[in-house]
Amino acid sequence: MEDFPSNTIEFTIESEGQGVLLTVRESGFARLSDDAAERRRRFEENAEGWVEELVVARGLAVSAR
């Protein structure tokens, strides 16, 4: 939907030593709102959410070994 602003999320998985390195890049916050405080709030909420999600991803990856 072009009339609904959104973020772009990019995942990269690379071999590293005996495991993998997962990199998550999220962009597009500038398009979400004209209000700087609103953009900051959304950024901080998403950053907190990614910490939680990456803990889950790590647990799943470790249990799949």
Side-chain angles (χ1 to χ4, degrees):
M1 252 191 238
E2 287 187 29
D3 60 340
F4 188 78
S6 62
N7 294 18
T8 299
I9 303 166
E10 178 183 352
F11 297 91
T12 305
I13 301 174
E14 303 172 81
S15 295
E16 184 172 278
Q18 301 266 339
V20 297
L21 174 65
L22 169 62
T23 303
V24 180
R25 288 188 181 94
E26 187 170 11
S27 60
F29 286 97
R31 296 186 305 261
L32 296 181
S33 175
D34 290 334
D35 181 87
E38 175 68 12
R39 286 193 310 270
R40 174 47 94 182
R41 182 186 65 77
R42 289 183 182 192
F43 174 84
E44 290 174 356
E45 288 175 353
N46 281 25
E48 290 174 24
W50 281 116
V51 170
E52 295 172 17
E53 295 298 330
L54 292 172
V55 167
V56 171
R58 179 180 167 82
L60 292 169
V62 168
S63 68
R65 287 185 184 177

